[in-house]
Amino acid sequence: MAETILVTGGAGYIGSHTVLELLETSHRVVVLDNFSNSHPKSLEVVKELTGQAFPVYVGDVRDKGLLEQIFQKEEVTGVIHFAGFKAVGESSQIPLAYYDNNLVGLLHLLEVMQSVGCRNLIFSSSATVYGDPQELPLTETAPLSVTNPYGRTKLMGEEILRDLFAADGSWNLVILRYFNPIGAHPSGRLGEHPQGIPSNLVPYITQVACGLRDHVRVFGDNYATPDGTGVRDYIHIQDLSRGHVAAMKRWATGSGLSVYNLGTGQGYSVLEMIRGLSQTAGQEIPYQIYSRRPGDIAACYADPTKAREELGWEAQLGLEEMCRHAWKWQRLNPNGFQD
Ligand code: WQD
């Protein structure tokens, strides 16, 4: 039977790029999204870029009746579960919405998968589960600790999967811990559609570069890093998407539960990102130093060895491509998919 992959949250930034990658590697895809933090236009663009159509179900991953209908009708053989809220700051303001959406959503998905006998899952986790790393680069065995409700939903989600596998070893569970996804499809037609003021660094920088905002706020320049500003492992969204297609190989190797860091292994500071995007945009990008943002850590970057050795995957695109594609998307779509 041909593989049919259900992508929950498939209209989102990572979801839409992963749907495109799945289609381009000859997989059949079905998308479920409630567009609560994404735009339907992203899926229209994916259809145009690939020349392929695919079923899109508009609804909530907590709706078990809808999930059952999708699994039966589409003969789903595996699930990539992106659907969830992901803003660290917001999660402290509305924790119950984060626990409901992220954890009840996961539980209902797993319950339906169990009832229909679909055991193949890729779970979208985050480097945020490592908290403030004591040792760098980060391997998958590094200690886990979280300091915000969003991070707790990711860590609890992982624990739910570990408990499920301990109770029933027939599952095929892959946990992917993303570092900092940035950039866009090279066409400039698919990218991150931030709602309101971007909390993430790169979309904020590109909005300053195209005149939507006055200056970049550098949250702290007194961290124990080479230039005092925060260091992160930025990974091109296309590399991240390809990591999901590579992770699906684990479904073919018998049941198991595995965890992989999806990062490049290379950290860049805030000032290095501003410099990189300035060079790409061919203009100075103004910034001012502000005090640290509560909850931020000094540095975080991956040891990507395990994914390379076990999945045959490693990031291919460097800072220049990340900046070039991020800038092209922003320049061509000042208001994201709203245009
Ligand atoms: C990067 C660096 C900031 C904005 C978050 C989530 C993480 C994941 C990715 C979901 C830091 C600095 C930022 C700004 C700045 N999301 N910064 N000015 O915080 O590493 O990770 O997004 O999974 O879970 O925690 O990403 O882009 O917000 O910050 O100086 O306007 O840029 O201090 O050093 P972060 P970020």
Side-chain angles (χ1 to χ4, degrees):
M1 171 176 50
E3 279 187 344
T4 296
I5 314 299
L6 169 61
V7 181
T8 73
Y13 175 41
I14 306 175
S16 58
H17 284 84
T18 303
V19 166
L20 185 143
E21 198 58 39
L22 287 166
L23 293 169
E24 291 193 337
T25 49
S26 311
H27 293 88
R28 183 170 179 271
V29 175
V30 174
V31 169
L32 169 63
D33 203 305
N34 65 4
F35 303 129
S36 65
N37 191 25
S38 58
H39 200 291
K41 179 80 185 294
S42 65
L43 297 175
E44 289 165 33
V45 170
V46 169
K47 289 178 180 175
E48 288 163 20
L49 288 173
T50 59
Q52 299 183 54
F54 48 90
V56 177
Y57 290 80
V58 183
D60 195 304
V61 71
R62 289 164 289 190
D63 180 344
K64 292 179 77 169
L66 176 58
L67 286 173
E68 282 154 3
Q69 178 197 336
I70 296 170
F71 275 89
Q72 300 301 356
K73 183 162 183 289
E74 306 292 347
E75 297 184 332
V76 173
T77 55
V79 180
I80 302 180
H81 179 44
F82 290 111
F85 295 151
K86 66 160 185 105
V88 170
E90 181 188 57
S91 74
S92 298
Q93 293 154 12
I94 51 171
L96 294 185
Y98 270 69
Y99 285 114
D100 190 359
N101 195 36
N102 292 9
L103 289 184
V104 174
L106 174 63
L107 286 172
H108 285 188
L109 174 64
L110 292 170
E111 286 162 1
V112 170
M113 289 179 73
Q114 188 169 53
S115 69
V116 302
C118 178
R119 292 282 192 280
N120 298 321
L121 175 75
I122 290 174
F123 176 67
S124 164
S125 188
S126 166
T128 207
V129 300
Y130 294 117
D132 191 354
Q134 297 317 306
E135 202 177 319
L136 290 170
L138 280 161
T139 64
E140 288 81 354
T141 55
L144 306 181
S145 75
V146 286
T147 57
N148 60 78
Y150 161 72
R152 248 183 292 283
T153 69
K154 289 303 178 182
L155 184 51
M156 288 178 182
E158 292 195 12
E159 298 297 351
I160 287 167
L161 296 178
R162 280 188 270 274
D163 285 343
L164 175 61
F165 186 71
D168 177 355
S170 69
W171 284 84
N172 237 319
L173 305 168
V174 184
I175 294 169
L176 299 180
R177 292 174 181 161
Y178 310 148
F179 282 71
N180 287 60
I182 64 168
H185 187 267
S187 65
R189 300 194 55 216
L190 190 64
E192 188 170 9
H193 176 71
Q195 317 265 11
I197 302 173
S199 62
N200 290 139
L201 177 67
V202 168
Y204 200 103
I205 295 175
T206 55
Q207 287 192 6
V208 171
C210 72
L212 286 175
R213 300 197 186 280
D214 181 57
H215 63 276
V216 178
R217 304 163 300 172
V218 177
F219 295 142
D221 67 347
N222 59 356
Y223 285 104
T225 61
D227 65 15
T229 64
V231 170
R232 296 292 185 274
D233 184 332
Y234 298 96
I235 177 170
H236 196 293
I237 189 69
Q238 285 191 302
D239 279 325
L240 189 69
S241 306
R242 290 167 185 152
H244 289 76
V245 178
M248 284 166 51
K249 289 180 197 152
R250 297 297 295 177
W251 289 347
T253 57
S255 64
L257 183 146
S258 39
V259 185
Y260 297 98
N261 287 338
L262 293 190
T264 68
Q266 167 72 50
Y268 288 106
S269 74
V270 175
L271 293 180
E272 286 174 317
M273 296 308 288
I274 292 173
R275 201 170 303 128
L277 282 157
S278 291
Q279 283 162 6
T280 298
Q283 63 186 54
E284 274 311 300
I285 297 177
Y287 65 87
Q288 288 176 22
I289 305 297
Y290 284 61
S291 54
R292 292 182 180 190
R293 181 171 64 175
D296 274 355
I297 59 176
C300 175
Y301 49 91
D303 175 340
T305 305
K306 189 180 178 193
R308 183 176 63 245
E309 289 181 348
E310 295 187 14
L311 302 180
W313 170 91
E314 61 182 336
Q316 302 294 320
L317 301 170
L319 183 62
E320 194 278 325
E321 289 100 338
M322 290 188 241
C323 291
R324 179 154 42 87
H325 297 155
W327 175 233
K328 183 172 181 183
W329 158 255
Q330 178 71 65
R331 199 161 30 84
L332 297 178
N333 309 273
N335 302 308
F337 291 112
Q338 228 86 43
D339 296 342

